[in-house]
Amino acid sequence: YAPERVEVPSGSRIRVDYAGERPVLAVKLQELFGWDAAPALAGGRVPLVVHLLSPAGRPAAVTADLASFWREGYRAVRAELRGRYPKHPWPEDPAGAVPTKRTKRASGS
């Protein structure tokens, strides 16, 4: 019901932080491409709050609703960060993109 780690679409197993009021999954944004909803814990009763991190590991957005973020918030985050991190993928359609923990060059894109 309260896993230590959660596997994300890139294959990474990310530690869940239970120190606050709600459990938090802090993960680089590119590792979540294609994921429309973070899993809920405690048998589906407790949604994870997702801290979407920039390639430098700084919070770029915080959400409990990934589907809404991809539809409404991603475009602004993409516009702000893709110039600063050009080696990382910033697809127009994150729902259909391949999740990765690598740069474009390292992943062969």
Side-chain angles (χ1 to χ4, degrees):
Y1 283 147
E4 180 181 339
R5 296 178 179 275
V6 170
E7 186 169 341
V8 297
S10 67
S12 295
R13 294 183 46 78
I14 307 296
R15 183 180 301 275
V16 178
D17 179 1
Y18 292 99
E21 200 171 296
R22 293 181 56 193
V24 172
L25 185 71
V27 60
K28 290 186 180 171
L29 186 145
Q30 286 82 3
E31 293 198 56
L32 300 184
F33 290 154
W35 218 19
D36 63 345
L41 306 179
R45 295 186 309 269
V46 179
L48 274 171
V49 174
V50 181
H51 289 208
L52 297 153
L53 306 178
S54 73
R58 294 185 194 96
V62 175
T63 186
D65 182 355
L66 273 176
S68 175
F69 170 76
W70 294 130
R71 277 192 320 273
E72 300 164 13
Y74 172 73
R75 191 169 288 125
V77 170
R78 177 180 184 263
E80 180 183 335
L81 296 180
R82 73 179 185 164
R84 198 176 310 161
Y85 302 102
K87 293 181 180 178
H88 296 269
W90 298 100
E92 289 277 337
D93 176 21
V98 176
T100 183
K101 50 187 165 180
R102 308 180 80 163
T103 62
K104 288 190 278 189
R105 176 169 285 163
S107 63
S109 297

